[in-house]
Every structure is written in structure tokens, then in C-alpha cells.
């Protein structure tokens, strides 16, 4: 009796990072669109920062990625990728088609993502990579400026200023001050949610906890934007006005404070019953 020599059989397939790289490559029209919007000045290049964060997270977790994907998420990623590319080629608005591409990439990431790691912050970073800033300023900028101006007027009245709102402008102590587009808070909101997603992903915050705390991020952005606008309007209302350098410095200080507060919100420990 002779013993047959046997060779171990191991299935050969693409690893998680290779599959994700190929999936991303298949969405190249949308990637080219994101880069074009970032470099031609039509939108802030913040989306590239979100893409870099996603890539960093994938590299960080590469040894923990699943050996075999979740089939449902994998099939969904392929189907949505076909839909996104089809929408692109038939002329659907580029931002909408790219949103479909982002959802396709989210599904692909979910297919391979470690079970113990949070998913919602990762999905949030992928969606934040899209060129939202200019579109949000166009569609939501004016109502957000009106809301900011009204809340700022009430805040200044509490500390003794003669302040009232008129449209997206304010009259403070007889001086007209315009609440311009940067004061809408759109960029602050993007950076705050980027901080929230990045911190939650790095800390491994559970999805249900992240979803609950994400609502608090919006409140912090609103409070920070009203504070920034109130301080700037109060200083701008003086006859001498406010130097541009001080305007930028105050804005950056408040933005930094909001992002720090968001980071604290994400990392604070859960209390029983919360």
C-alpha cells in the first residue's frame, strides 16, 4: 500500500485591500471629478482630506480586514457601482452620480470591514469626500445666514447692543454689518463632522453611540457659529471696523474650539443610562 502524495488546496482570491483598490479604480470617473473640483477652485479641497482619512483607516486596519467578504455587501457594492457609472455616462448630475459611487464604496468597505470596528464613521468620511461645500453654500447658504444673523442679534441684545436683523444683514448700534457666505457655518459643519467621524473611527466608538452623539455635533456647530458671528459683528460695528487679520484669527480660534469640543464629545465615557 502506497500513500498518495497530496498537496494542500487553498482558495486563491484577491485580498481585501486589492479588492478595494480595484473597486475604487472602477469608479475612476467619479474620482477624477472629485480631484477636478478640488483643484479648479470650484469647491474647497476638503474632500481630499476625507479621502486620505479613509485610506489611512484602511491601511491601519489592513491586518484585521475579513479574509472573506460578506457576500450581500459585496453584491450591493457591485450593483451600486454599475448604477453610479451608468448614471455618469447618461448625464445624471455629477454630484448625484458621485453620491452613488460613494455609497458603492461604502458597501465595498462594509463587505471587508472587521466586525469589531465601527462602520458609520467610516461611511461618514466617504460621504464627506464629495464636493459638498459649494453646493451647500448655494442652496442652504442664505437661510443659514438668516438664522445665524437672527440668533446673533438676540445674543447681542442680551449684552446691551442695539442689534436687529434685516435679511442676511444686521444693524448694530446704527452700523450695517453683512453676514457673508463664510458665516453660514457650512465649512465649520464639514470640519466638525470630519473631526467627529475621524475621532469615532480611531477610538472604535460603537455605531449607536456615534449616531446619538452626531446630533450633538450639529448643536456645537450652531453655537460656535453664532458665537463667532456675534463677536465679529460686535467688533465690525465699531466705526474703525475690524482688521482682516483679527477677523481670520477669531474665526480660526472659534473653529478650533468647536473641533476640540467635538473631539471631547466623541471620546467622553458613557455614563449608565446614557
Amino acid at each position: 500500500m502506497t500513500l498518495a502524495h497530496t498537496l494542500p488546496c487553498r482558495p486563491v482570491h484577491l485580498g481585501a485591500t486589492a479588492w478595494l483598490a480595484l473597486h475604487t479604480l472602477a469608479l475612476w470617473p467619479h474620482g477624477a471629478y472629485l480631484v477636478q473640483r478640488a483643484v479648479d477652485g470650484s469647491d474647497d479641497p476638503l474632500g481630499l482630506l476625507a479621502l486620505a482619512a479613509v485610506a489611512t483607516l484602511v491601511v491601519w486596519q489592513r491586518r484585521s480586514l475579513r479574509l472573506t467578504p460578506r457576500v450581500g455587501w459585496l453584491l450591493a457594492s457591485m450593483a451600486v457601482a454599475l448604477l453610479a457609472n451608468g448614471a455618469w455616462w447618461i448625464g445624471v448630475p455629477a454630484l448625484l452620480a458621485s453620491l452613488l459611487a460613494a455609497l458603492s464604496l461604502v458597501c465595498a468597505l462594509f463587505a471587508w470591514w472587521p466586525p469589531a470596528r465601527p462602520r458609520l464613521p467610516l461611511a461618514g468620511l466617504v460621504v464627506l469626500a464629495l464636493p459638498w461645500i459649494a453646493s451647500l453654500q448655494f442652496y442652504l447658504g442664505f437661510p443659514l445666514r438668516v438664522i445665524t444673523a437672527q440668533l446673533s442679534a438676540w445674543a447681542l441684545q442680551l449684552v446691551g447692543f442695539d442689534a436687529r436683523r434685516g435679511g442676511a444683514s444686521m444693524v448694530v448700534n446704527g452700523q450695517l454689518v453683512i453676514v457673508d457666505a463664510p458665516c453660514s457655518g457650512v465649512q465649520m459643519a464639514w470640519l466638525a463632522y470630519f473631526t467627529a467621524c475621524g475621532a469615532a473611527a480611531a477610538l472604535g466608538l460603537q455605531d449607536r453611540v456615534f449616531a446619538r452623539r452626531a446630533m450633538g455635533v450639529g448643536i456645537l456647530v450652531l453655537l460656535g457659529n453664532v458665537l463667532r458671528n456675534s463677536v465679529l459683528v460686535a467688533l465690525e460695528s465699531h466705526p474703525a471696523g475690524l482688521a482682516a487679520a483679527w477677523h481670520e484669527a477669531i474665526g480660526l480660534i472659534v473653529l478650533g474650539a468647536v473641533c476640540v469640543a467635538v473631539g471631547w464629545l466623541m471620546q467622553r465615557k458613557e455614563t449608565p443610562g446614557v
Side-chain angles (χ1 to χ4, degrees), residues 182-183 188 191 224-225 227-229 231-232 235 242-259:
C183 290
M188 181 182 288
L191 288 165
N225 197 46
L227 173 62
R228 175 182 64 179
N229 189 69
V231 172
L232 292 176
L235 296 175
L242 183 66
W246 278 107
H247 194 287
E248 294 294 331
I250 292 171
L252 289 174
I253 290 171
V254 175
L255 174 61
V258 168
C259 290

Side-chain angles (χ1 to χ4, degrees), residues 58-245:
V58 171
V59 172
W60 180 37
Q61 294 294 325
R62 68 187 184 280
R63 297 186 184 279
S64 302
L65 297 175
R66 292 173 59 91
L67 295 178
T68 56
R70 296 178 178 88
V71 176
W73 284 114
L74 195 64
L75 293 176
S77 71
M78 295 179 188
V80 181
L82 290 173
L83 184 61
N85 286 346
W88 176 272
W89 293 116
I90 66 175
V92 170
L95 186 56
L96 178 57
S98 293
L99 177 58
L100 291 173
L103 295 177
S104 170
L105 184 57
V106 167
C107 292
L109 287 166
F110 283 4
W112 298 95
W113 207 240
R117 301 301 300 179
R119 299 182 188 180
L120 286 183
L122 180 68
L125 287 171
V126 174
V127 173
L128 284 173
L130 299 177
W132 293 111
I133 303 296
S135 297
L136 291 177
Q137 286 284 19
F138 182 81
Y139 290 106
L140 298 179
F142 180 76
L144 288 175
R145 287 158 56 200
V146 170
I147 293 171
T148 300
Q150 184 61 70
L151 294 176
S152 296
W154 288 337
L156 290 172
Q157 289 169 11
L158 291 176
V159 294
F161 282 84
D162 177 18
R164 64 183 185 276
R165 178 188 65 83
S169 301
M170 299 174 62
V171 178
V172 182
N173 293 341
Q175 295 288 325
L176 176 64
V177 181
I178 298 175
V179 181
D180 56 7
C183 290
S184 67
V186 170
Q187 289 175 317
M188 181 182 288
W190 191 99
L191 288 165
Y193 278 102
F194 172 80
T195 301
C197 292
L203 294 168
L205 195 64
Q206 293 180 353
D207 285 339
R208 60 178 181 81
V209 179
F210 172 73
R212 186 168 65 249
R213 294 183 181 181
M215 295 184 287
V217 174
I219 296 173
L220 289 173
V221 170
L222 179 61
L223 293 175
N225 197 46
V226 171
L227 173 62
R228 175 182 64 179
N229 189 69
S230 299
V231 172
L232 292 176
V233 167
L235 296 175
E236 290 280 7
S237 65
H238 293 168
L242 183 66

Side-chain angles (χ1 to χ4, degrees), residues 6-34:
T6 60
L7 294 176
C9 294
R10 179 177 298 175
V12 178
H13 57 76
L14 290 177
T17 52
W19 183 274
L20 290 171
L22 287 176
H23 190 90
T24 303
L25 184 62
L27 300 171
W28 69 265
H30 312 280
Y33 165 70
L34 300 186

